[in-house]
Amino acid sequence: MDVFLFSFICCKLLFFLSESSFASDTITSSQSLSDGMTLVSKEGSFELGFFSPGSSKNRYLGIWYKNMPVKTVVWVANRINPINDSPGLLVVNQTGNLVLTSQDKSVVWSANLSKEVRTPVVLQLLDSGNLVLRGERDGGSETYLWQSFDYPSDTLLPGMKLGWDLKTGLERRITSWKSPDDPSPGNFIWAVERQDNPELIMRKGSRKFQRSGPWNGLQFSATPLRPNPIFNFGFVSNEDELYYTFDMRDKAAFSRIVMNQTLYLRQRFIWEKATQSWELYSNVPRDLCDTYALCGANGICIINDLPVCQCLQGFKPNSRGYVDWSQGCVRDKSLNYSRQDGFIKFTAMKLPDATLSWVSKSMNLNECREKCLDNSSCMAYTNSDIRGEGSGCAMWFGDLIDIRYFQDGGQDLYIRMSASELAKGVPRMKIVVTVISTAALLAVVIAAGYLVHKRRRNIVQNMDLELPLFELATIANATDNFSINNKLGEGGFGPVYKGMLVDGQEIAVKRLSKISEQGLKELKNEVILFSKLQHRNLVKLLGYCIQGEEKLLIYEFMPNKSLNSFIFGLGPYNLKIFG
Ligand SMILES: *[C@@H]1O[C@H](CO)[C@@H](O)[C@H](O)[C@H]1NC(C)=O
Ligand SMILES: *[C@@H]1O[C@H](CO)[C@@H](O)[C@H](O)[C@H]1NC(C)=O
Ligand SMILES: *[C@@H]1O[C@H](CO)[C@@H](O)[C@H](O)[C@H]1NC(C)=O
Ligand SMILES: *[C@@H]1O[C@H](CO)[C@@H](O)[C@H](O)[C@H]1NC(C)=O
Ligand SMILES: *[C@@H]1O[C@H](CO)[C@@H](O)[C@H](O)[C@H]1NC(C)=O
C-alpha cells in the first residue's frame, strides 16, 4: 500500500518536473502550472500556457490552438499586466481562487471569484477552448465557478457568448489587441448594445463604425438572407440573457472571429487542414454602405447606385452646394406629426439605428401603425419578427440613421410621410443596378490593354471607365518595385505604396490583395465610384492597372491626407468619417 502511494507520488513529481510534457487537461487545488508547462485539452485542440507575443519579451498566460504551425492565441489572462521580471506561476489557491503570481509572489492576475469556495475545485481546459474552474465533483455539469469564455479577449470562438448575463450584469465583449506585441485592450470593440431593440455594434473608442441591425427572428437585419454552409448562429434575448453565439456545423472544424488590431474590421477565419493555414472567410464591414451612418440622417445607402447616398423619398439633402452626405437629409416639407400622416413602405431595408427604438413582441403590424401615428415622435415602424406572416412591433423615434438598401435580404420599413407626400404615390426610389460582371470588366480591361499595346503609350484613355489604365511596369518603376521603403501602410484590401511617376507626379498605389474575386469586385466598385465622383476634397484617383495577378489603384499622393483615406476607403466618404 505504502509502496504504491510512494510510487504514485514519485510519478506525479516526475510529471511536474518534466517541462512542457504536462499532458493533462486539469490541475487541482494542490497543483500549479509554471512557465514552460502547459495544459492540453482532452482531444488536443487547445493548449494553456505562458507565451510572449510577437517580438515582446513579456510573459502572458494564454490559450492557443495546439498543433498549429503558427501560434494562434485566442485568450489572454493577464492582458494588461504582463510578467516581465520572473517566471509566472498559476495556482488554484486554498480558497478556490485562480491566481497568477510572479516570482516575488505578487498577484499579477486573478479570476476574482466573488465568494470563497470550500469544496475542492478543479481547473480544466476544455476542447472548446474554454478554461473552467469547477467543483471537483461537477465533471459533467456546465455550471462553472468561473470560465474564460466569460472574459473574452479579441477572439470569439464557437460556443462563446457575445453579450450580457442580465441577472449578474456581466458583459462579454471583444476588444482588439493593441498591437501584435501587446495583447492589452486596443481601440476596436465589438459588443451587444443593451437597449430595447438590441443589436451588435462595432466601435473605435466610443464611436460606432458598423452595426448589425436589430435581430428579426431569423438573423440581423443587415445580413443577406442566405443559408450558411459552415456555421449556425443565433441571438438570444430574454429576461435573463442577451447574446450572440455561433457554432460549427462540422464540430471538428476550427473557426474564429477576431477584431483586427489596426483596421476597422472584424474578420472570420476558417482553418484549412489541407494548407495548414487560416483562410479569411469574411470581413465586416463588407462594403462602403456598411460604414455607420455614411449617408447621414434620413439618407439611404445603395451600394450599386450612383451616388451611393441618396435621400429617402420626401427628403432633400441638408447641405448647400456640393452634397455633403454627413449632413444627411431633411424633409421636403415639414411634417406636423398628426393622425393625417401616413406611411410609405420601403422594402429590402437594413433597419435604422435602434438606439431610439421601442419594441413590443405582442403587437401586430396594424396596432404598431396606430401606435406610431399616435406618437408625435414616431418616424417609422415595422414587424420586430419577420418569421411566418410577421409579428411584433418595432418603432423608431427621431431621425433615421444608417439605413441601406439590399438587393437580397433586408426587410420592410414603414416611414412616416405627410398626406401630401403620400398623394404623390408609390416610392420612386431610383435604384439603378449597375451590375458589371467580372467578365464585362475583364472585356473592358482586355480592350484597354489592346489599345495600350497598339498605341505603345503608357497611359491610354479608357472610354468605358473614363480612367487611365497604367502599365504594371510604370507603377513598379514608380514604387521602386513595390519596395518596403515605399510602403505607406497596410489596408483591408492590401498594402499601399508611395511612388513617383517619371513626370514627377507623386502617387499612392493601393495594391489589392490576391484574393482575386474580392479584389476585382472592390476594384470595380472603386473605379466606378471615383470616376463619377471626382471632387476637389477627395483623394483623386488617377488610374488603375490590372495585369496578371496584379490589381492596382493609383491615386494622387497627398501628404496631408490621412492614411485611412488610401487604406480603408473604398470611396471618398471615409475621409470625413475616419479621417
Ligand atoms: C486566494 O486568492 C485570492 C485572490 O488573490 C485572495 O483574495 C485569497 O485570499 C487567496 N486565498 C488564500 C488562502 O491565499
Ligand atoms: C480583479 O479585481 C481587481 C480589483 O478589484 C481588479 O483590479 C482586476 O482587474 C480584476 N481582475 C479581473 C481578471 O477581473
Ligand atoms: C396637419 O396636417 C394635416 C394634413 O396636412 C392638416 O389637415 C392638419 O390641419 C395639420 N395640423 C396642424 C396642427 O397643423
Ligand atoms: C412615444 O412612444 C415612446 C415609447 O412608447 C414613449 O416613450 C414616448 O413618450 C412617446 N412619445 C409621445 C410624445 O407620445
Ligand atoms: C488585419 O487585417 C489585415 C487585412 O486582412 C491582415 O493582413 C492582418 O493580418 C490583420 N491583423 C490581424 C491582427 O489579424
CSV table of all heavy atoms in Angstrom, one decimal, residues 373-396:
chain,number,residue,atom,x,y,z
A,373,LEU,N,-48.7,56.3,-35.2
A,373,LEU,CA,-49.4,57.5,-35.6
A,373,LEU,C,-49.7,58.4,-34.4
A,373,LEU,O,-49.7,59.7,-34.5
A,373,LEU,CB,-50.8,57.2,-36.3
A,373,LEU,CG,-50.8,57.0,-37.8
A,373,LEU,CD1,-52.2,56.7,-38.3
A,373,LEU,CD2,-50.2,58.2,-38.5
A,374,ASP,N,-50.0,57.8,-33.3
A,374,ASP,CA,-50.4,58.5,-32.1
A,374,ASP,C,-49.2,59.1,-31.4
A,374,ASP,O,-49.4,59.9,-30.5
A,374,ASP,CB,-51.1,57.5,-31.1
A,374,ASP,CG,-52.5,57.3,-31.5
A,374,ASP,OD1,-53.1,58.1,-32.2
A,374,ASP,OD2,-53.1,56.2,-31.0
A,375,ASN,N,-48.1,58.7,-31.8
A,375,ASN,CA,-46.9,59.2,-31.0
A,375,ASN,C,-46.2,60.3,-31.9
A,375,ASN,O,-45.7,60.0,-33.0
A,375,ASN,CB,-46.0,58.0,-30.8
A,375,ASN,CG,-44.8,58.3,-29.9
A,375,ASN,OD1,-44.1,59.3,-30.1
A,375,ASN,ND2,-44.6,57.5,-28.9
A,376,SER,N,-46.1,61.4,-31.3
A,376,SER,CA,-45.6,62.6,-32.1
A,376,SER,C,-44.1,62.6,-32.4
A,376,SER,O,-43.6,63.5,-33.0
A,376,SER,CB,-46.0,63.9,-31.4
A,376,SER,OG,-45.4,63.9,-30.2
A,377,SER,N,-43.4,61.5,-31.9
A,377,SER,CA,-42.0,61.5,-32.3
A,377,SER,C,-41.7,60.2,-33.1
A,377,SER,O,-40.6,59.9,-33.5
A,377,SER,CB,-41.1,61.6,-31.2
A,377,SER,OG,-41.5,60.8,-30.1
A,378,CYS,N,-42.8,59.4,-33.4
A,378,CYS,CA,-42.5,58.2,-34.1
A,378,CYS,C,-42.3,58.4,-35.6
A,378,CYS,O,-43.1,59.1,-36.3
A,378,CYS,CB,-43.7,57.2,-33.9
A,378,CYS,SG,-43.5,55.6,-34.8
A,379,MET,N,-41.2,57.9,-36.1
A,379,MET,CA,-40.8,58.2,-37.5
A,379,MET,C,-41.1,57.0,-38.4
A,379,MET,O,-41.2,57.1,-39.6
A,379,MET,CB,-39.4,58.5,-37.6
A,379,MET,CG,-39.1,60.0,-37.5
A,379,MET,SD,-39.4,60.8,-39.0
A,379,MET,CE,-37.8,60.8,-39.8
A,380,ALA,N,-41.0,55.8,-37.8
A,380,ALA,CA,-41.1,54.6,-38.7
A,380,ALA,C,-41.5,53.4,-37.8
A,380,ALA,O,-41.3,53.4,-36.6
A,380,ALA,CB,-39.8,54.3,-39.4
A,381,TYR,N,-42.0,52.4,-38.4
A,381,TYR,CA,-42.3,51.2,-37.7
A,381,TYR,C,-42.2,50.0,-38.6
A,381,TYR,O,-42.1,50.1,-39.8
A,381,TYR,CB,-43.7,51.2,-37.1
A,381,TYR,CG,-44.8,51.1,-38.1
A,381,TYR,CD1,-45.3,49.8,-38.4
A,381,TYR,CD2,-45.3,52.2,-38.8
A,381,TYR,CE1,-46.3,49.6,-39.4
A,381,TYR,CE2,-46.3,52.0,-39.8
A,381,TYR,CZ,-46.8,50.8,-40.1
A,381,TYR,OH,-47.8,50.6,-41.0
A,382,THR,N,-42.1,48.8,-38.0
A,382,THR,CA,-42.2,47.5,-38.8
A,382,THR,C,-42.4,46.4,-37.8
A,382,THR,O,-42.4,46.6,-36.6
A,382,THR,CB,-40.9,47.3,-39.6
A,382,THR,OG1,-41.1,46.3,-40.6
A,382,THR,CG2,-39.7,47.0,-38.8
A,383,ASN,N,-42.6,45.2,-38.4
A,383,ASN,CA,-42.6,44.0,-37.5
A,383,ASN,C,-41.2,43.8,-36.9
A,383,ASN,O,-40.2,44.0,-37.5
A,383,ASN,CB,-42.9,42.7,-38.4
A,383,ASN,CG,-44.4,42.5,-38.6
A,383,ASN,OD1,-44.8,42.1,-39.6
A,383,ASN,ND2,-45.2,42.8,-37.5
A,384,SER,N,-41.3,43.4,-35.6
A,384,SER,CA,-40.0,43.1,-34.9
A,384,SER,C,-39.5,41.7,-35.3
A,384,SER,O,-38.3,41.4,-35.1
A,384,SER,CB,-40.1,43.3,-33.4
A,384,SER,OG,-41.1,42.5,-32.9
A,385,ASP,N,-40.4,40.8,-35.7
A,385,ASP,CA,-40.1,39.5,-36.1
A,385,ASP,C,-40.7,39.2,-37.4
A,385,ASP,O,-41.9,39.3,-37.6
A,385,ASP,CB,-40.7,38.5,-35.0
A,385,ASP,CG,-40.1,37.1,-35.1
A,385,ASP,OD1,-39.8,36.7,-36.2
A,385,ASP,OD2,-40.0,36.4,-34.0
A,386,ILE,N,-39.8,38.8,-38.4
A,386,ILE,CA,-40.3,38.6,-39.7
A,386,ILE,C,-40.7,37.1,-40.1
A,386,ILE,O,-41.0,36.8,-41.2
A,386,ILE,CB,-39.3,39.1,-40.8
A,386,ILE,CG1,-38.0,38.3,-40.8
A,386,ILE,CG2,-39.1,40.6,-40.6
A,386,ILE,CD1,-37.1,38.6,-42.0
A,387,ARG,N,-40.5,36.2,-39.0
A,387,ARG,CA,-40.8,34.8,-39.3
A,387,ARG,C,-42.3,34.7,-39.6
A,387,ARG,O,-43.2,35.3,-39.1
A,387,ARG,CB,-40.5,34.0,-38.1
A,387,ARG,CG,-39.0,33.7,-38.0
A,387,ARG,CD,-38.6,33.0,-36.8
A,387,ARG,NE,-38.9,33.8,-35.6
A,387,ARG,CZ,-38.6,33.3,-34.3
A,387,ARG,NH1,-38.0,32.2,-34.2
A,387,ARG,NH2,-38.8,34.1,-33.3
A,388,GLY,N,-42.6,33.8,-40.5
A,388,GLY,CA,-44.0,33.5,-40.9
A,388,GLY,C,-44.6,34.7,-41.5
A,388,GLY,O,-44.1,35.4,-42.4
A,389,GLU,N,-45.8,35.1,-41.0
A,389,GLU,CA,-46.5,36.2,-41.5
A,389,GLU,C,-45.9,37.5,-41.0
A,389,GLU,O,-46.3,38.6,-41.4
A,389,GLU,CB,-48.0,36.2,-41.1
A,389,GLU,CG,-48.7,34.9,-41.6
A,389,GLU,CD,-49.2,35.0,-43.0
A,389,GLU,OE1,-50.3,35.6,-43.2
A,389,GLU,OE2,-48.5,34.6,-43.9
A,390,GLY,N,-45.1,37.4,-40.0
A,390,GLY,CA,-44.5,38.6,-39.3
A,390,GLY,C,-45.3,38.9,-38.1
A,390,GLY,O,-46.5,38.7,-38.0
A,391,SER,N,-44.6,39.3,-37.0
A,391,SER,CA,-45.3,39.6,-35.8
A,391,SER,C,-44.5,40.7,-35.0
A,391,SER,O,-43.3,41.0,-35.4
A,391,SER,CB,-45.4,38.4,-34.9
A,391,SER,OG,-44.1,37.9,-34.6
A,392,GLY,N,-45.1,41.2,-33.9
A,392,GLY,CA,-44.4,42.2,-33.1
A,392,GLY,C,-44.3,43.5,-33.7
A,392,GLY,O,-44.7,43.7,-34.9
A,393,CYS,N,-43.8,44.5,-32.9
A,393,CYS,CA,-43.8,45.9,-33.4
A,393,CYS,C,-42.5,46.5,-32.9
A,393,CYS,O,-42.1,46.4,-31.8
A,393,CYS,CB,-45.0,46.6,-32.7
A,393,CYS,SG,-44.9,48.4,-32.9
A,394,ALA,N,-41.8,47.2,-33.9
A,394,ALA,CA,-40.7,48.0,-33.5
A,394,ALA,C,-40.9,49.4,-34.1
A,394,ALA,O,-41.4,49.5,-35.2
A,394,ALA,CB,-39.4,47.4,-34.2
A,395,MET,N,-40.7,50.4,-33.3
A,395,MET,CA,-40.9,51.8,-33.7
A,395,MET,C,-39.6,52.6,-33.5
A,395,MET,O,-38.8,52.3,-32.6
A,395,MET,CB,-42.0,52.5,-32.8
A,395,MET,CG,-43.3,51.8,-32.9
A,395,MET,SD,-44.7,52.7,-32.2
A,395,MET,CE,-44.0,53.6,-30.9
A,396,TRP,N,-39.4,53.6,-34.4
A,396,TRP,CA,-38.2,54.4,-34.3
A,396,TRP,C,-38.6,55.9,-34.1
A,396,TRP,O,-39.6,56.3,-34.7
A,396,TRP,CB,-37.4,54.3,-35.6
A,396,TRP,CG,-36.5,53.1,-35.7
A,396,TRP,CD1,-35.2,53.1,-35.4
A,396,TRP,CD2,-36.9,51.8,-36.1
A,396,TRP,NE1,-34.7,51.8,-35.6
A,396,TRP,CE2,-35.8,51.0,-36.0
A,396,TRP,CE3,-38.1,51.2,-36.5
A,396,TRP,CZ2,-35.8,49.6,-36.3
A,396,TRP,CZ3,-38.2,49.9,-36.8
A,396,TRP,CH2,-37.0,49.1,-36.7
